[in-house]
Amino acid sequence: MGGMSRRTARSGRPARPARAAAAAAVCPCGLPEAYEACCGRFHSGAAVAPTAEALMRSRYSAFVRGDAGYLMRTWHPRTRPAGLDLDPGTRWTGLEILATAEGSPFHSTGMVEFRASYRGGSLRERSRFERVDGAWVYVDGEFPDAA
């Protein structure tokens, strides 16, 4: 990009642009990949999640990043709400997959049970997923800890 000067860090190496550092950040979903190579490709539309678990992880990452558009696009049309009001004050801190059933590229339905932690607590959900036009979508969930 023209007009940008190359700055050198004190170590003598060129400083890394902030955008490159952000792109190389580990994905919020907990897998040891860079965001762009992991959930970022699903969020951008460059790829679709191949499994129910991959979709669940990408939806968690969308909550972390405040991407309501992706959440709505990956919600089953039958159960999708009219809109989402995400709380920008929620600080998600981690995702733990507790169990999965079906949800592979060869299934039409799947279940992922997970615990999503946030500053001040956690949420446990058993989510159901289905394929619509070949793509995994979130249907609904049960909250085992709420019973």
Side-chain angles (χ1 to χ4, degrees):
M1 299 192 133
M4 293 185 68
S5 65
R6 278 192 179 232
R7 294 183 202 166
T8 304
R10 289 186 179 171
S11 68
R13 291 179 295 175
R16 205 167 154 188
R19 186 170 188 174
V26 174
C27 191
C29 80
L31 294 178
E33 297 181 53
Y35 166 75
E36 292 301 328
C38 194
C39 294
R41 62 197 171 114
F42 305 139
H43 294 172
S44 71
V48 295
T51 65
E53 180 181 335
L55 179 67
M56 197 265 116
R57 287 180 177 278
S58 71
R59 286 177 56 85
Y60 171 82
S61 291
F63 274 103
V64 171
R65 298 175 64 86
D67 188 346
Y70 180 77
L71 293 167
M72 294 297 282
R73 287 191 307 277
T74 58
W75 208 310
H76 197 293
R78 182 177 74 237
T79 58
R80 181 185 309 138
L84 284 178
D85 185 21
L86 301 178
D87 181 355
T90 301
R91 296 291 173 243
W92 297 99
T93 58
L95 176 67
E96 179 184 2
I97 303 299
L98 304 173
T100 61
E102 297 185 334
S104 81
F106 305 105
H107 292 109
S108 58
T109 62
M111 182 281 302
V112 178
E113 185 171 345
F114 65 92
R115 179 176 294 112
S117 299
Y118 55 89
R119 193 172 299 147
S122 67
L123 166 82
R124 184 174 165 196
E125 182 175 334
R126 188 175 301 124
S127 298
R128 291 185 322 128
F129 297 88
E130 291 180 12
R131 284 188 186 268
V132 171
D133 297 328
W136 285 106
V137 292
Y138 170 78
V139 177
D140 60 18
E142 298 173 345
F143 303 93
D145 290 342

